[in-house]
Each structure stands twice: as C-alpha cells, then as structure tokens.
Amino acid sequence: MTNSPFTPGIVPARLDGHVLQENFSDLHAPLDAHEALVAADRCYFCHDAPCITACPTSIDIPLFIRQISTGTPEAAAKTIFDQNILGGMCARVCPTETLCEQACVREAAEGKPVEIGRLQRHATDTLMAQGVHPYSRAVATGKRVAVVGAGPAGLACAHRLAMHGHDVDLFDARPKGGGLNEYGIATYKATDGFAGAELEWLMQIGGITLHKGRALGRDLSLDALCAEYDAVFLGMGLGGVNALRAAGEDRDGVLDAVDFIADLRQADDLANLPVGRNVVVIGGGMTAIDAAVQSKLLGAENVTVLYRRARAAMPASRYEQDLAASKGVRFIFNAMPVAILGNGVVTGVRVEYTRAEGRSLVGTGETFDIPADQLLKAIGQTLTGAPDALALEGGKIAVSGAGRTSASGVWAGGDCAAGGEDLTVTAVAQGRDAAEDIHASLMG
Ligand SMILES: Cc1cc2nc3c(=O)[nH]c(=O)nc-3n(C[C@H](O)[C@H](O)[C@H](O)COP(=O)(O)OP(=O)(O)OC[C@H]3O[C@@H](n4cnc5c(N)ncnc54)[C@H](O)[C@@H]3O)c2cc1C
Ligand code: SF4
C-alpha cells in the first residue's frame, strides 16, 4: 500500500482492503432467531400502541412482534409488507430513534425502546431469504399506468397498482432501479447488494415492466404519457443540489456529497475510490453525516462537518451525530463557509461564525481557516425537470389528498412532492397511498 491517511491530496487506497471491508460492513448485525425472541419478549403489545402512530406507513408493530415471539417470522413479515413493501430497506435505514422507537413506551419508561427496527429486519429477511413473494395479482383490469422514477415512492406505487391488477410501465432515468436505495443510502446500512435484491424480489409480483435509462423531459413527455396511459405517477425525487454561494466553489476538489456517495455505492472496489486527507463537509442532514462518516471510513485523516446553526437545530438525529462522532468526525456548529481557498485546487475553507438574529442567521465577523483538500457540499437537494404543466409549492410538485397534482390524471409522491419529510419510509407511504387513490379513480 503506497497511500495512507496522511498522504496529501485526494487519493485512493488510504487503507488496506480488509480494513475497508470491515469498515463498510453491516452497521447493525442482524438478530439471530434466539436474539429476536428475547428482543420481542420486551414488547408490552400495547393497546393503541404509540409506535404504530409514529410509523409513517402505520405498520401494526405489536402484531408483527407477537408473530415473531410465537415463532412465525414469515407471518410477521407479511404484516409488515402489507403496509410497507420496502419493509426490508426501511428496517435498515429508518431513523427509528426519531420514529417508532422514540414513541415506544419502554423508551419513555426506561430509555431503552423495543428494538423495532432490528425485529422488522429479522422478519423481512427471513421471508425474503426463502425467495417467497407473498402477493399475487388481482384479475387484470386492462388499465395501464405509467410510473416515473423507480425509487421508494415509484416502487411502492407500482407494486400496489400491479397487485390491484393494473399494468405498470416504470421508467427511470438511471441505468439501475432503486433510486436512492441504490445510489444514496450509506453503504454500511444496506450491504451485500440489498437494494438490488429487494427490487428483484418486489418485481416478482409481475405486471411491472421496468424501463431503465428513460428520462421524463428527455425521452418521455408528460403529455405523451397522459395520452397513452390511464394514469401517471411521478416519483422522480430531487435530482439537483443547492449552490453554496461561497467564493471559489468551482475549485477542483469541491464535489456534491450525493455524487460522492453515488460513486461510493457503485464502486466495485472501495480501494479504488479517492478521498481527501482533510475533508470538510458542509451541511447538517443525513447526507452530510453519511458523506462525513464514509470519508472517514475510506481513510481520510481529518473529517469536519460544518453546520451553520446550533447542534439542536441539526436535521440529522442525535443518534446519527453520535455515530459520526464515534468514527472520529469533528463537528463545528454555528459556522458557515465564506470562501473556498486555493489556486485552482481547494486547499482550505474560510469559515465565519454565525449567530441568530430573529429568524435569520448573520455572520459575526470572526473568521478562521480549516485546511481541506476535498470539500463535499450537502446543503440540500432541489427538484429538477418537473413538467411545466404542474403547479409547484415551495419548489416541489404541489399535491393535495393522496398525491393528486394540479393536472388531472397525474399523481406525485416521495421527495419530489411538497409536504414530505424526505425519508425512505414517507416516500413508500406516499407511493402506496397514491396507488390506492389511482386505483379508486380508475375503477370508480
Ligand atoms: C445521501 C442520502 C442518504 C439518505 N439516507 C437516508 C436514510 O438513511 N434513511 C432514510 O429514511 N432516508 C434517507 N435518505 C432520504 C431517502 O433516500 C429519500 O427520501 C427517498 O429515497 C425518496 O424516495 P423517492 O422515490 O421519492 O426518490 P428517489 O429515491 O430519489 O428516486 C427517484 C428516482 O427517479 C429517477 N428520476 C429522476 N428524474 C427522472 C426523470 N426525469 N425521468 C425518469 N426518472 C427520473 C431517479 O433516477 C431515481 O431512481 C437519504 C438521502 C440521501 C440523498
Ligand atoms: S410502544 Fe413499544 S412496547 Fe408498546 S407495542 Fe410498541 S413496541 Fe411494543
């Protein structure tokens, strides 16, 4: 190995292959059958269970946990999939610490919730490992629906529509389906090609044809889709990223964090992936945390997350922040970049402290410099390529009810639609609910 964490610049192979493999292995080991029984035993099977209300897909959590404790994890999986067909991925990526597990009565009583996420993974993995797809299609309706975007929203919508007997053409601009499950989620949350395996499993329902490399706005138009299909669902996510608006943003070494993560997710060999010695990540959401943690795991010597507000305002949960800190990531709060330093290539970031003035943030005038050979921007994504015909709200597609857009016969859900929380599980819920609404309107 010629490189190490101390090698200057952006270089590959800072760590040995076996260390990289270890670093990017499963964040939480799966529960074995005995551990699952013990974990399930902690559930009180509450009446009016608060964990169900806290789950955006309203999974009957006490029921599936009881099914695990009675030795029928396959039945538990079916309970989960009835509400959330991507229950396997959500078991891995949901911020359970701010959703079901935060609401669990045992969290309130003892500060130690029932491990709902790990139990969900145990159940869904058990059924999926058997290659079983527990749904079949209703009698064909003869109706055809176009779904644009094969991310969590589009997949949940397509699956539910196919189950109801409709034929679905699923279009995605990228060479692989799965959306951010395939290109965005941190490597250590969805290991061993799980996103691809889950997609294949979901497609076993039949009646869904996936057209890869087909983009709305480039290869397809909304007018043509509306003319050819009985309904259209848009689940195209957020393809653009916000600009930093700091001088020097065009220097070499400045990269969008989502692109860095997509390269990482698609890398055949992590040792070939270059990373800086001093990495600075700008932002405060899950993307910032994931980019920072993965830079550190690739062997960067110093990784710093710069967030312009106080810790309490950070969109990433405290659990995610602590995970990053445990890997050696440093946080600087109340600080914003004002200039990217360097001559052609980034060498550092000039940072100014901030303070809140009413509802806005202002610089305090006090600045300092941090060395950086790589700067990753994770300051939010934006909607690109939304058809002109659709009304927007806050930069996203305006929707009412179960994802109805301003155009008749066109629904939208997931990150591209206004009002969501930009989580995998909310995208699934919205795709599923739009499918039910489409079904009702086609059959009404
Ligand atoms: C780096 C990162 C990490 C994240 N980590 C987590 C996490 O740990 N837990 C969590 O709950 N959430 C996480 N999220 C958020 C979560 O991934 C999203 O909320 C979720 O994927 C949204 O699903 P979606 O189907 O709306 O969009 P996407 O997953 O973005 O899928 C949209 C699909 O549409 C396709 N598309 C886009 N434009 C077009 C077009 N014009 N024509 C055809 N197809 C198009 C895209 O190729 C893509 O496949 C993360 C997000 C990022 C960026
Ligand atoms: S709140 Fe906790 S204890 Fe009660 S049903 Fe849900 S998981 Fe079980």
Side-chain angles (χ1 to χ4, degrees):
M1 198 177 72
T2 49
N3 292 325
S4 79
F6 309 111
T7 310
I10 304 176
V11 299
R14 288 186 180 274
L15 300 174
D16 278 331
H18 71 272
V19 179
L20 287 172
Q21 205 178 347
E22 173 95 346
N23 282 356
F24 285 88
S25 62
D26 228 333
L27 181 60
H28 302 292
L31 296 172
D32 66 26
H34 176 71
E35 289 168 332
L37 288 176
V38 173
D41 210 34
R42 293 191 63 241
C43 180
Y44 292 144
F45 310 115
C46 310
H47 182 65
D48 285 337
C51 54
I52 304 181
T53 316
C55 171
T57 53
S58 308
I59 292 171
D60 190 336
I61 293 165
L63 174 60
F64 95 67
I65 294 181
R66 189 179 285 281
Q67 288 165 321
I68 291 175
S69 59
T70 54
T72 54
E74 296 84 357
K78 177 79 170 31
T79 301
I80 295 160
F81 291 135
D82 283 349
Q83 291 296 105
N84 180 340
I85 198 63
L86 296 183
M89 181 59 81
C90 288
R92 290 161 165 79
V93 308
C94 260
T96 50
E97 67 279 3
T98 59
L99 298 170
C100 55
E101 291 181 14
Q102 187 184 52
C104 175
V105 296
R106 296 205 72 159
E107 168 65 18
E110 302 154 48
K112 191 171 183 302
V114 174
E115 290 183 287
I116 302 169
R118 293 181 84 194
L119 284 164
Q120 176 164 321
R121 176 170 172 184
H122 173 73
T124 51
D125 281 4
T126 302
L127 188 72
M128 288 170 79
Q130 295 167 6
V132 174
H133 188 86
Y135 301 98
S136 51
R137 299 188 66 199
V139 178
T141 61
K143 303 284 185 192
R144 298 173 66 229
V145 183
V147 172
V148 178
L155 289 173
C157 183
H159 186 273
R160 188 56 68 107
L161 288 167
M163 237 172 80
H164 283 310
H166 309 300
D167 285 332
V168 180
D169 277 319
L170 177 56
F171 299 98
D172 201 288
R174 296 235 201 201
K176 287 185 189 173
L180 289 169
N181 286 356
E182 175 62 47
Y183 291 97
I185 294 295
T187 315
Y188 45 80
K189 290 186 187 169
T191 55
D192 302 326
F194 183 76
E198 187 180 48
L199 174 69
E200 265 177 43
W201 173 86
L202 179 145
M203 295 289 281
Q204 286 177 28
I205 181 82
I208 306 173
T209 310
L210 176 57
H211 306 271
K212 294 179 259 191
R214 301 285 305 279
L216 182 70
R218 187 187 68 199
D219 314 304
L220 312 158
S221 76
L222 185 60
D223 282 351
L225 292 178
C226 289
E228 187 179 342
Y229 293 90
D230 296 293
V232 177
F233 174 81
L234 302 177
M236 54 209 285
L238 300 173
V241 284
N242 285 316
L244 208 50
R245 294 197 205 94
E249 196 175 343
D250 53 353
R251 301 217 192 291
D252 283 354
V254 179
L255 204 64
D256 290 328
V258 280
D259 292 340
F260 171 76
I261 292 170
D263 287 348
L264 206 148
R265 284 297 307 272
Q266 299 305 309
D268 289 332
D269 182 355
L270 290 169
N272 292 334
L273 211 71
V275 68
R277 174 183 182 180
N278 294 305
V279 178
V280 173
V281 183
I282 316 276
M286 240 180 230
T287 305
I289 298 284
D290 287 356
V293 170
Q294 292 181 108
S295 302
K296 193 75 191 152
L297 297 180
L298 280 173
E301 184 194 0
N302 299 303
V303 180
T304 308
V305 172
L306 270 189
Y307 180 54
R308 63 201 174 114
R309 296 183 188 275
R311 181 193 279 278
M314 203 174 202
S317 69
R318 187 58 196 246
Y319 168 82
E320 299 266 350
Q321 294 174 35
D322 289 349
L323 173 75
S326 75
K327 304 291 180 196
V329 172
R330 182 168 73 125
F331 287 91
I332 302 180
F333 296 100
N334 298 305
M336 63 182 179
V338 286
I340 314 303
L341 310 174
N343 185 8
V345 176
V346 57
T347 56
V349 188
R350 179 148 305 147
V351 180
E352 183 177 4
Y353 281 117
T354 63
R355 69 162 182 271
E357 244 176 39
R359 295 183 65 189
S360 51
L361 273 187
V362 292
T364 63
E366 186 185 349
T367 64
F368 60 98
D369 294 349
I370 319 178
D373 34 38
Q374 189 167 36
L375 186 135
L376 301 174
K377 296 183 287 179
I379 47 172
Q381 292 164 265
T382 54
L383 177 62
T384 51
D388 292 339
L390 301 179
L392 301 185
E393 183 189 326
K396 294 188 173 192
I397 299 172
V399 288
S400 58
R404 291 184 183 216
T405 69
S406 58
S408 146
V410 182
W411 280 255
D415 286 2
C416 70
E421 283 177 69
D422 294 356
L423 291 176
T424 309
V425 66
T426 41
V428 171
Q430 290 169 6
R432 175 201 70 190
D433 294 348
E436 289 296 349
D437 199 42
I438 293 170
H439 174 62
S441 98
L442 293 183
M443 306 313 286

